[in-house]
Amino acid sequence: MDDPNNLAARLRALEDREAVRDLIASYGPLADSGDGEAAAALWTEDGTYEVLGFAKAVGRAEIAALIDGPVHRALMADGCAHMLGPITITISGDSAQARGHSLVLRHTGSGFEAHRVAANRWTLARTAAGWRVTHRINALLDGTEEARLLLAPN
């Protein structure tokens, strides 16, 4: 029979992975609904969201401003869908790393087209409120090594 403490540790690891996966999956619907405040709440107070070649937002107010800003609002006005995953997750105590793809689709009037395909690396921390993002870096998969490295194991 399995050691109960080992089983408890395994269960906690599975619950942590699912919580991280759920947090990351919730970003797309929040971005598409235009809820900048709720999207920013996925980050710690001093968290960072870095979109290479476009923006670096530090803190929840700046992260919310990305969603509330003219570039994102114009994309929403056309019709868009932010999709993330699948992701790989590595948890070490109260910190986690996740990496994977994101795809933003844009409505063109006659269908949808891939507007942005990117590599993502997420750094997360367990907080009193649950898992929160401390840093997300996103880079277009445009052939650059910098983007590919975001997908590489640590």
Side-chain angles (χ1 to χ4, degrees), residues 49-55 71 75 81-83 101-106 113-120 136-142 147 150:
Y49 182 12
E50 190 172 356
V51 182
L52 292 183
F54 176 68
V71 172
L75 184 61
H82 290 70
M83 299 187 298
H101 298 89
S102 62
L103 171 65
V104 178
L105 298 173
R106 186 184 71 182
E113 68 179 22
H115 175 69
R116 183 176 174 85
V117 180
N120 293 263
R136 176 185 177 191
I137 186 168
N138 170 298
L140 280 176
L141 282 165
D142 58 3
L150 294 178

Side-chain angles (χ1 to χ4, degrees), residues 44-89:
T44 57
E45 288 288 339
D46 61 347
T48 303
Y49 182 12
E50 190 172 356
V51 182
L52 292 183
F54 176 68
K56 182 175 182 179
V58 180
R60 288 182 176 162
E62 288 184 18
I63 293 167
L66 289 177
I67 302 295
D68 297 331
V71 172
H72 189 263
R73 291 294 167 176
L75 184 61
M76 286 177 52
D78 289 343
C80 65
H82 290 70
M83 299 187 298
L84 294 109
I87 57 171
T88 61
I89 301 168

Side-chain angles (χ1 to χ4, degrees), residues 3 21 31-33 38-40 44 50 59-60 85 94 104 109 134 137 149 152:
D3 176 35
R21 196 176 319 278
D32 291 336
S33 71
T44 57
E50 190 172 356
R60 288 182 176 162
D94 291 335
V104 178
T134 59
I137 186 168
L149 289 174

Side-chain angles (χ1 to χ4, degrees), residues 6-7 40 90 128:
N6 185 27
L7 185 57
T90 304

